[in-house]
Amino acid sequence: MSRFWSPIVQTLTPYVPGEQPQMQRLVKLNTNESPYGPSPKALAAISSQNNEDLRLYPDPEGAALKKAIANLHGLNSNQVFLGNGSDEVLAHVFAGLLKQNKPVHFPDITYSFYPVYCKLFGIDYQTVALGPDFEIDLTNYKTPNGGIIFPNPNAPTGRSIARAEIEKLLARNLDSVLVIDEAYVDYGTESCIPLLQGASCPENLLVVHTLSKSRALAGLRVGFAVGHPTLIEGLERIKNSFNSYPLGRLAQAGAIAAIEDQAHLEATSAKVIQTREKLVSQLSTLGFETLPSTANFIFTRHPKHAGAKLYQALRDCGIIVRHFKSPRIEEFLRITIGTDEQSAELVSALQEILS
Ligand SMILES: *Cc1c(COP(=O)(O)O)cnc(C)c1O
């Protein structure tokens, strides 16, 4: 506390990211990073930019990266917005599109950064309860709102909804922006990006992606949003009133190569999905109940063992997972899918703990 803080600083409850422990030999399954490295082509592209040109500012527009993203997704470059990680993209989305006269709606159990942004930007919000099986029930999103945002698949539950369901919501929610945060879309969820292609692109749908998860570049900090050019223009106005150069030269070069290496993405995502399915069945043998996941993490609980205790017991074995002390989900563990070896270590540690 300092008397020099501006009044708003005292009111904030900042987001607490998953721990990045410095200990060696840890099985780190707590922040949904990829267990596999990024595309070797991305690493080579970053190295190739590691030279004297770093004295120069990067392209403020990130035009080449926008083009690569547009090409991959069948869009135009003016439908792409770039940010220093999708958290920054989301910040601009809240400030630029979701701060309206009516409250923004999002699930009561979801990415905990959303309410943090609302506080920061003075945005009124209303949470909508997940259904009995922790699913997002879009029939509960019927009242007037200043915008709707949710991740698909949802975090930390891992549950996803079909694109057709989202289209139905879009058809009746015409007066505010619908934001789909597709941070984990590459592990088996239908993307909403095809809805944005061509002349029928809705004016009020925005899809947010990150290179931090399936493209294994959390350390590079690149995210993007795609949508109608007028939404993108609004976001650009915010960005250019805040930081005109959010993406450095290395980040732009690495991101382009990563986006173009679809084969690497598909191969590594397929491995994660395979490890996930095996882990879910092994956990079920141990008595765990796991929500159906289309993400690179699972949300699981044991009817006879408290979540907080399991979290601590795993930690004592050098395995870090995520536990949330929040209503309805405190019996759950959110476990990032690692390599098969990490998965095996997790399963044998749990066998030990439960016996
Ligand atoms: C990880 C995550 C993000 C943010 O990722 P960045 O690293 O900032 O790109 C956004 N939304 C959800 C739901 C996430 O889990």
PDB file of all heavy atoms in Angstrom, residues 247-279:
ATOM      1  N   LEU A 247       4.092  -6.317 -30.513  1.00  0.00           N
ATOM      2  CA  LEU A 247       4.810  -7.538 -30.882  1.00  0.00           C
ATOM      3  C   LEU A 247       6.192  -7.208 -31.436  1.00  0.00           C
ATOM      4  O   LEU A 247       6.315  -6.525 -32.451  1.00  0.00           O
ATOM      5  CB  LEU A 247       4.042  -8.311 -31.957  1.00  0.00           C
ATOM      6  CG  LEU A 247       2.786  -9.039 -31.521  1.00  0.00           C
ATOM      7  CD1 LEU A 247       2.300  -9.929 -32.646  1.00  0.00           C
ATOM      8  CD2 LEU A 247       3.046  -9.861 -30.283  1.00  0.00           C
ATOM      9  N   GLY A 248       7.213  -7.728 -30.785  1.00  0.00           N
ATOM     10  CA  GLY A 248       8.582  -7.489 -31.222  1.00  0.00           C
ATOM     11  C   GLY A 248       8.920  -8.220 -32.502  1.00  0.00           C
ATOM     12  O   GLY A 248       8.139  -9.035 -33.009  1.00  0.00           O
ATOM     13  N   ARG A 249      10.102  -7.937 -33.022  1.00  0.00           N
ATOM     14  CA  ARG A 249      10.555  -8.578 -34.269  1.00  0.00           C
ATOM     15  C   ARG A 249      10.666 -10.086 -34.122  1.00  0.00           C
ATOM     16  O   ARG A 249      10.296 -10.835 -35.027  1.00  0.00           O
ATOM     17  CB  ARG A 249      11.927  -8.029 -34.661  1.00  0.00           C
ATOM     18  CG  ARG A 249      11.868  -6.610 -35.154  1.00  0.00           C
ATOM     19  CD  ARG A 249      13.254  -6.057 -35.434  1.00  0.00           C
ATOM     20  NE  ARG A 249      13.067  -4.839 -36.201  1.00  0.00           N
ATOM     21  CZ  ARG A 249      13.053  -4.791 -37.538  1.00  0.00           C
ATOM     22  NH1 ARG A 249      13.297  -5.878 -38.241  1.00  0.00           N
ATOM     23  NH2 ARG A 249      12.820  -3.673 -38.154  1.00  0.00           N
ATOM     24  N   LEU A 250      11.201 -10.538 -32.990  1.00  0.00           N
ATOM     25  CA  LEU A 250      11.381 -11.980 -32.802  1.00  0.00           C
ATOM     26  C   LEU A 250      10.016 -12.664 -32.720  1.00  0.00           C
ATOM     27  O   LEU A 250       9.798 -13.733 -33.299  1.00  0.00           O
ATOM     28  CB  LEU A 250      12.200 -12.269 -31.544  1.00  0.00           C
ATOM     29  CG  LEU A 250      13.573 -11.598 -31.450  1.00  0.00           C
ATOM     30  CD1 LEU A 250      14.290 -12.017 -30.171  1.00  0.00           C
ATOM     31  CD2 LEU A 250      14.433 -11.919 -32.669  1.00  0.00           C
ATOM     32  N   ALA A 251       9.107 -12.024 -32.013  1.00  0.00           N
ATOM     33  CA  ALA A 251       7.770 -12.610 -31.851  1.00  0.00           C
ATOM     34  C   ALA A 251       7.048 -12.698 -33.196  1.00  0.00           C
ATOM     35  O   ALA A 251       6.427 -13.716 -33.517  1.00  0.00           O
ATOM     36  CB  ALA A 251       6.953 -11.785 -30.863  1.00  0.00           C
ATOM     37  N   GLN A 252       7.133 -11.652 -33.982  1.00  0.00           N
ATOM     38  CA  GLN A 252       6.441 -11.675 -35.281  1.00  0.00           C
ATOM     39  C   GLN A 252       7.018 -12.764 -36.181  1.00  0.00           C
ATOM     40  O   GLN A 252       6.281 -13.539 -36.804  1.00  0.00           O
ATOM     41  CB  GLN A 252       6.530 -10.305 -35.965  1.00  0.00           C
ATOM     42  CG  GLN A 252       5.746  -9.236 -35.202  1.00  0.00           C
ATOM     43  CD  GLN A 252       5.626  -7.914 -35.961  1.00  0.00           C
ATOM     44  OE1 GLN A 252       5.577  -7.893 -37.188  1.00  0.00           O
ATOM     45  NE2 GLN A 252       5.566  -6.810 -35.228  1.00  0.00           N
ATOM     46  N   ALA A 253       8.344 -12.850 -36.232  1.00  0.00           N
ATOM     47  CA  ALA A 253       8.983 -13.848 -37.098  1.00  0.00           C
ATOM     48  C   ALA A 253       8.644 -15.265 -36.636  1.00  0.00           C
ATOM     49  O   ALA A 253       8.279 -16.133 -37.443  1.00  0.00           O
ATOM     50  CB  ALA A 253      10.493 -13.639 -37.104  1.00  0.00           C
ATOM     51  N   GLY A 254       8.751 -15.493 -35.331  1.00  0.00           N
ATOM     52  CA  GLY A 254       8.474 -16.831 -34.809  1.00  0.00           C
ATOM     53  C   GLY A 254       7.015 -17.212 -35.014  1.00  0.00           C
ATOM     54  O   GLY A 254       6.697 -18.361 -35.365  1.00  0.00           O
ATOM     55  N   ALA A 255       6.135 -16.252 -34.815  1.00  0.00           N
ATOM     56  CA  ALA A 255       4.711 -16.539 -34.936  1.00  0.00           C
ATOM     57  C   ALA A 255       4.335 -16.892 -36.378  1.00  0.00           C
ATOM     58  O   ALA A 255       3.546 -17.808 -36.618  1.00  0.00           O
ATOM     59  CB  ALA A 255       3.886 -15.349 -34.447  1.00  0.00           C
ATOM     60  N   ILE A 256       4.908 -16.184 -37.331  1.00  0.00           N
ATOM     61  CA  ILE A 256       4.602 -16.482 -38.742  1.00  0.00           C
ATOM     62  C   ILE A 256       4.984 -17.926 -39.062  1.00  0.00           C
ATOM     63  O   ILE A 256       4.185 -18.701 -39.606  1.00  0.00           O
ATOM     64  CB  ILE A 256       5.350 -15.513 -39.695  1.00  0.00           C
ATOM     65  CG1 ILE A 256       4.788 -14.101 -39.547  1.00  0.00           C
ATOM     66  CG2 ILE A 256       5.247 -15.982 -41.151  1.00  0.00           C
ATOM     67  CD1 ILE A 256       5.637 -13.023 -40.217  1.00  0.00           C
ATOM     68  N   ALA A 257       6.216 -18.303 -38.678  1.00  0.00           N
ATOM     69  CA  ALA A 257       6.673 -19.661 -38.978  1.00  0.00           C
ATOM     70  C   ALA A 257       5.822 -20.693 -38.251  1.00  0.00           C
ATOM     71  O   ALA A 257       5.510 -21.754 -38.807  1.00  0.00           O
ATOM     72  CB  ALA A 257       8.155 -19.798 -38.612  1.00  0.00           C
ATOM     73  N   ALA A 258       5.432 -20.384 -37.019  1.00  0.00           N
ATOM     74  CA  ALA A 258       4.610 -21.330 -36.258  1.00  0.00           C
ATOM     75  C   ALA A 258       3.243 -21.499 -36.902  1.00  0.00           C
ATOM     76  O   ALA A 258       2.720 -22.611 -37.033  1.00  0.00           O
ATOM     77  CB  ALA A 258       4.455 -20.848 -34.810  1.00  0.00           C
ATOM     78  N   ILE A 259       2.644 -20.389 -37.335  1.00  0.00           N
ATOM     79  CA  ILE A 259       1.327 -20.443 -37.963  1.00  0.00           C
ATOM     80  C   ILE A 259       1.392 -21.257 -39.257  1.00  0.00           C
ATOM     81  O   ILE A 259       0.468 -21.999 -39.595  1.00  0.00           O
ATOM     82  CB  ILE A 259       0.816 -19.001 -38.262  1.00  0.00           C
ATOM     83  CG1 ILE A 259       0.478 -18.265 -36.961  1.00  0.00           C
ATOM     84  CG2 ILE A 259      -0.346 -18.990 -39.236  1.00  0.00           C
ATOM     85  CD1 ILE A 259      -0.779 -18.718 -36.271  1.00  0.00           C
ATOM     86  N   GLU A 260       2.515 -21.120 -39.971  1.00  0.00           N
ATOM     87  CA  GLU A 260       2.620 -21.815 -41.263  1.00  0.00           C
ATOM     88  C   GLU A 260       2.935 -23.298 -41.095  1.00  0.00           C
ATOM     89  O   GLU A 260       2.793 -24.073 -42.031  1.00  0.00           O
ATOM     90  CB  GLU A 260       3.674 -21.116 -42.134  1.00  0.00           C
ATOM     91  CG  GLU A 260       3.143 -19.764 -42.626  1.00  0.00           C
ATOM     92  CD  GLU A 260       4.163 -18.942 -43.386  1.00  0.00           C
ATOM     93  OE1 GLU A 260       5.365 -19.269 -43.331  1.00  0.00           O
ATOM     94  OE2 GLU A 260       3.731 -17.954 -44.025  1.00  0.00           O
ATOM     95  N   ASP A 261       3.383 -23.698 -39.896  1.00  0.00           N
ATOM     96  CA  ASP A 261       3.734 -25.114 -39.690  1.00  0.00           C
ATOM     97  C   ASP A 261       2.548 -25.871 -39.085  1.00  0.00           C
ATOM     98  O   ASP A 261       2.560 -26.294 -37.930  1.00  0.00           O
ATOM     99  CB  ASP A 261       4.972 -25.225 -38.794  1.00  0.00           C
ATOM    100  CG  ASP A 261       5.568 -26.623 -38.831  1.00  0.00           C
ATOM    101  OD1 ASP A 261       4.930 -27.539 -39.404  1.00  0.00           O
ATOM    102  OD2 ASP A 261       6.670 -26.801 -38.286  1.00  0.00           O
ATOM    103  N   GLN A 262       1.523 -26.050 -39.900  1.00  0.00           N
ATOM    104  CA  GLN A 262       0.306 -26.720 -39.441  1.00  0.00           C
ATOM    105  C   GLN A 262       0.579 -28.192 -39.113  1.00  0.00           C
ATOM    106  O   GLN A 262      -0.046 -28.777 -38.237  1.00  0.00           O
ATOM    107  CB  GLN A 262      -0.777 -26.577 -40.528  1.00  0.00           C
ATOM    108  CG  GLN A 262      -2.188 -26.850 -40.081  1.00  0.00           C
ATOM    109  CD  GLN A 262      -2.689 -25.881 -39.009  1.00  0.00           C
ATOM    110  OE1 GLN A 262      -2.065 -24.864 -38.707  1.00  0.00           O
ATOM    111  NE2 GLN A 262      -3.824 -26.217 -38.394  1.00  0.00           N
ATOM    112  N   ALA A 263       1.572 -28.775 -39.825  1.00  0.00           N
ATOM    113  CA  ALA A 263       1.885 -30.190 -39.601  1.00  0.00           C
ATOM    114  C   ALA A 263       2.381 -30.416 -38.174  1.00  0.00           C
ATOM    115  O   ALA A 263       1.994 -31.388 -37.509  1.00  0.00           O
ATOM    116  CB  ALA A 263       2.936 -30.648 -40.610  1.00  0.00           C
ATOM    117  N   HIS A 264       3.220 -29.495 -37.686  1.00  0.00           N
ATOM    118  CA  HIS A 264       3.740 -29.629 -36.318  1.00  0.00           C
ATOM    119  C   HIS A 264       2.596 -29.513 -35.304  1.00  0.00           C
ATOM    120  O   HIS A 264       2.510 -30.281 -34.358  1.00  0.00           O
ATOM    121  CB  HIS A 264       4.794 -28.547 -36.066  1.00  0.00           C
ATOM    122  CG  HIS A 264       5.428 -28.636 -34.707  1.00  0.00           C
ATOM    123  ND1 HIS A 264       6.409 -29.546 -34.412  1.00  0.00           N
ATOM    124  CD2 HIS A 264       5.199 -27.957 -33.561  1.00  0.00           C
ATOM    125  CE1 HIS A 264       6.771 -29.412 -33.142  1.00  0.00           C
ATOM    126  NE2 HIS A 264       6.046 -28.450 -32.599  1.00  0.00           N
ATOM    127  N   LEU A 265       1.710 -28.554 -35.554  1.00  0.00           N
ATOM    128  CA  LEU A 265       0.554 -28.378 -34.665  1.00  0.00           C
ATOM    129  C   LEU A 265      -0.289 -29.642 -34.611  1.00  0.00           C
ATOM    130  O   LEU A 265      -0.663 -30.122 -33.540  1.00  0.00           O
ATOM    131  CB  LEU A 265      -0.316 -27.216 -35.163  1.00  0.00           C
ATOM    132  CG  LEU A 265      -1.649 -27.094 -34.422  1.00  0.00           C
ATOM    133  CD1 LEU A 265      -1.555 -26.075 -33.307  1.00  0.00           C
ATOM    134  CD2 LEU A 265      -2.788 -26.769 -35.343  1.00  0.00           C
ATOM    135  N   GLU A 266      -0.558 -30.202 -35.788  1.00  0.00           N
ATOM    136  CA  GLU A 266      -1.429 -31.381 -35.827  1.00  0.00           C
ATOM    137  C   GLU A 266      -0.783 -32.584 -35.163  1.00  0.00           C
ATOM    138  O   GLU A 266      -1.438 -33.320 -34.415  1.00  0.00           O
ATOM    139  CB  GLU A 266      -1.844 -31.680 -37.278  1.00  0.00           C
ATOM    140  CG  GLU A 266      -2.936 -30.711 -37.735  1.00  0.00           C
ATOM    141  CD  GLU A 266      -3.162 -30.679 -39.240  1.00  0.00           C
ATOM    142  OE1 GLU A 266      -2.671 -31.598 -39.943  1.00  0.00           O
ATOM    143  OE2 GLU A 266      -3.814 -29.730 -39.717  1.00  0.00           O
ATOM    144  N   ALA A 267       0.515 -32.767 -35.409  1.00  0.00           N
ATOM    145  CA  ALA A 267       1.200 -33.929 -34.826  1.00  0.00           C
ATOM    146  C   ALA A 267       1.238 -33.823 -33.298  1.00  0.00           C
ATOM    147  O   ALA A 267       0.950 -34.803 -32.592  1.00  0.00           O
ATOM    148  CB  ALA A 267       2.605 -34.045 -35.402  1.00  0.00           C
ATOM    149  N   THR A 268       1.587 -32.645 -32.784  1.00  0.00           N
ATOM    150  CA  THR A 268       1.715 -32.520 -31.321  1.00  0.00           C
ATOM    151  C   THR A 268       0.336 -32.527 -30.650  1.00  0.00           C
ATOM    152  O   THR A 268       0.182 -33.121 -29.575  1.00  0.00           O
ATOM    153  CB  THR A 268       2.500 -31.242 -30.942  1.00  0.00           C
ATOM    154  OG1 THR A 268       1.938 -30.121 -31.612  1.00  0.00           O
ATOM    155  CG2 THR A 268       3.966 -31.365 -31.316  1.00  0.00           C
ATOM    156  N   SER A 269      -0.659 -31.929 -31.280  1.00  0.00           N
ATOM    157  CA  SER A 269      -2.004 -31.950 -30.688  1.00  0.00           C
ATOM    158  C   SER A 269      -2.546 -33.370 -30.636  1.00  0.00           C
ATOM    159  O   SER A 269      -3.187 -33.770 -29.658  1.00  0.00           O
ATOM    160  CB  SER A 269      -2.979 -31.060 -31.470  1.00  0.00           C
ATOM    161  OG  SER A 269      -2.498 -29.751 -31.530  1.00  0.00           O
ATOM    162  N   ALA A 270      -2.262 -34.137 -31.693  1.00  0.00           N
ATOM    163  CA  ALA A 270      -2.743 -35.528 -31.719  1.00  0.00           C
ATOM    164  C   ALA A 270      -2.116 -36.331 -30.583  1.00  0.00           C
ATOM    165  O   ALA A 270      -2.787 -37.145 -29.935  1.00  0.00           O
ATOM    166  CB  ALA A 270      -2.421 -36.169 -33.076  1.00  0.00           C
ATOM    167  N   LYS A 271      -0.836 -36.085 -30.312  1.00  0.00           N
ATOM    168  CA  LYS A 271      -0.179 -36.795 -29.210  1.00  0.00           C
ATOM    169  C   LYS A 271      -0.829 -36.424 -27.875  1.00  0.00           C
ATOM    170  O   LYS A 271      -1.053 -37.281 -27.020  1.00  0.00           O
ATOM    171  CB  LYS A 271       1.322 -36.449 -29.178  1.00  0.00           C
ATOM    172  CG  LYS A 271       2.130 -37.243 -30.185  1.00  0.00           C
ATOM    173  CD  LYS A 271       3.594 -37.346 -29.754  1.00  0.00           C
ATOM    174  CE  LYS A 271       4.408 -36.228 -30.389  1.00  0.00           C
ATOM    175  NZ  LYS A 271       5.859 -36.317 -30.111  1.00  0.00           N
ATOM    176  N   VAL A 272      -1.108 -35.135 -27.706  1.00  0.00           N
ATOM    177  CA  VAL A 272      -1.723 -34.681 -26.449  1.00  0.00           C
ATOM    178  C   VAL A 272      -3.093 -35.338 -26.271  1.00  0.00           C
ATOM    179  O   VAL A 272      -3.434 -35.817 -25.177  1.00  0.00           O
ATOM    180  CB  VAL A 272      -1.828 -33.130 -26.423  1.00  0.00           C
ATOM    181  CG1 VAL A 272      -2.748 -32.658 -25.305  1.00  0.00           C
ATOM    182  CG2 VAL A 272      -0.446 -32.511 -26.273  1.00  0.00           C
ATOM    183  N   ILE A 273      -3.862 -35.399 -27.351  1.00  0.00           N
ATOM    184  CA  ILE A 273      -5.198 -36.002 -27.263  1.00  0.00           C
ATOM    185  C   ILE A 273      -5.093 -37.476 -26.877  1.00  0.00           C
ATOM    186  O   ILE A 273      -5.838 -37.974 -26.018  1.00  0.00           O
ATOM    187  CB  ILE A 273      -5.957 -35.828 -28.608  1.00  0.00           C
ATOM    188  CG1 ILE A 273      -6.293 -34.347 -28.834  1.00  0.00           C
ATOM    189  CG2 ILE A 273      -7.234 -36.684 -28.637  1.00  0.00           C
ATOM    190  CD1 ILE A 273      -6.842 -34.027 -30.214  1.00  0.00           C
ATOM    191  N   GLN A 274      -4.128 -38.165 -27.484  1.00  0.00           N
ATOM    192  CA  GLN A 274      -3.929 -39.581 -27.192  1.00  0.00           C
ATOM    193  C   GLN A 274      -3.559 -39.787 -25.716  1.00  0.00           C
ATOM    194  O   GLN A 274      -4.128 -40.646 -25.034  1.00  0.00           O
ATOM    195  CB  GLN A 274      -2.786 -40.072 -28.081  1.00  0.00           C
ATOM    196  CG  GLN A 274      -2.805 -41.532 -28.380  1.00  0.00           C
ATOM    197  CD  GLN A 274      -1.677 -41.870 -29.364  1.00  0.00           C
ATOM    198  OE1 GLN A 274      -0.593 -41.273 -29.320  1.00  0.00           O
ATOM    199  NE2 GLN A 274      -1.940 -42.802 -30.250  1.00  0.00           N
ATOM    200  N   THR A 275      -2.641 -38.965 -25.221  1.00  0.00           N
ATOM    201  CA  THR A 275      -2.226 -39.058 -23.815  1.00  0.00           C
ATOM    202  C   THR A 275      -3.408 -38.730 -22.895  1.00  0.00           C
ATOM    203  O   THR A 275      -3.602 -39.368 -21.856  1.00  0.00           O
ATOM    204  CB  THR A 275      -1.054 -38.083 -23.545  1.00  0.00           C
ATOM    205  OG1 THR A 275      -0.035 -38.320 -24.509  1.00  0.00           O
ATOM    206  CG2 THR A 275      -0.497 -38.262 -22.141  1.00  0.00           C
ATOM    207  N   ARG A 276      -4.211 -37.763 -23.301  1.00  0.00           N
ATOM    208  CA  ARG A 276      -5.370 -37.362 -22.494  1.00  0.00           C
ATOM    209  C   ARG A 276      -6.345 -38.521 -22.338  1.00  0.00           C
ATOM    210  O   ARG A 276      -6.782 -38.836 -21.220  1.00  0.00           O
ATOM    211  CB  ARG A 276      -6.081 -36.169 -23.161  1.00  0.00           C
ATOM    212  CG  ARG A 276      -7.326 -35.690 -22.414  1.00  0.00           C
ATOM    213  CD  ARG A 276      -8.051 -34.591 -23.199  1.00  0.00           C
ATOM    214  NE  ARG A 276      -8.722 -35.120 -24.386  1.00  0.00           N
ATOM    215  CZ  ARG A 276      -8.967 -34.415 -25.493  1.00  0.00           C
ATOM    216  NH1 ARG A 276      -8.591 -33.148 -25.596  1.00  0.00           N
ATOM    217  NH2 ARG A 276      -9.592 -34.976 -26.509  1.00  0.00           N
ATOM    218  N   GLU A 277      -6.660 -39.176 -23.462  1.00  0.00           N
ATOM    219  CA  GLU A 277      -7.654 -40.247 -23.405  1.00  0.00           C
ATOM    220  C   GLU A 277      -7.162 -41.401 -22.536  1.00  0.00           C
ATOM    221  O   GLU A 277      -7.921 -41.984 -21.760  1.00  0.00           O
ATOM    222  CB  GLU A 277      -8.004 -40.716 -24.821  1.00  0.00           C
ATOM    223  CG  GLU A 277      -8.665 -39.630 -25.678  1.00  0.00           C
ATOM    224  CD  GLU A 277      -9.815 -38.903 -24.965  1.00  0.00           C
ATOM    225  OE1 GLU A 277     -10.756 -39.592 -24.517  1.00  0.00           O
ATOM    226  OE2 GLU A 277      -9.768 -37.655 -24.823  1.00  0.00           O
ATOM    227  N   LYS A 278      -5.873 -41.705 -22.652  1.00  0.00           N
ATOM    228  CA  LYS A 278      -5.304 -42.777 -21.844  1.00  0.00           C
ATOM    229  C   LYS A 278      -5.347 -42.395 -20.357  1.00  0.00           C
ATOM    230  O   LYS A 278      -5.723 -43.213 -19.502  1.00  0.00           O
ATOM    231  CB  LYS A 278      -3.859 -43.033 -22.303  1.00  0.00           C
ATOM    232  CG  LYS A 278      -3.187 -44.173 -21.581  1.00  0.00           C
ATOM    233  CD  LYS A 278      -1.891 -44.590 -22.274  1.00  0.00           C
ATOM    234  CE  LYS A 278      -1.151 -45.600 -21.394  1.00  0.00           C
ATOM    235  NZ  LYS A 278       0.279 -45.659 -21.716  1.00  0.00           N
ATOM    236  N   LEU A 279      -4.984 -41.159 -20.052  1.00  0.00           N
ATOM    237  CA  LEU A 279      -4.975 -40.703 -18.658  1.00  0.00           C
ATOM    238  C   LEU A 279      -6.379 -40.746 -18.059  1.00  0.00           C
ATOM    239  O   LEU A 279      -6.574 -41.209 -16.928  1.00  0.00           O
ATOM    240  CB  LEU A 279      -4.403 -39.275 -18.573  1.00  0.00           C
ATOM    241  CG  LEU A 279      -4.406 -38.637 -17.181  1.00  0.00           C
ATOM    242  CD1 LEU A 279      -3.543 -39.448 -16.204  1.00  0.00           C
ATOM    243  CD2 LEU A 279      -3.906 -37.192 -17.246  1.00  0.00           C
TER     244      LEU A 279
END
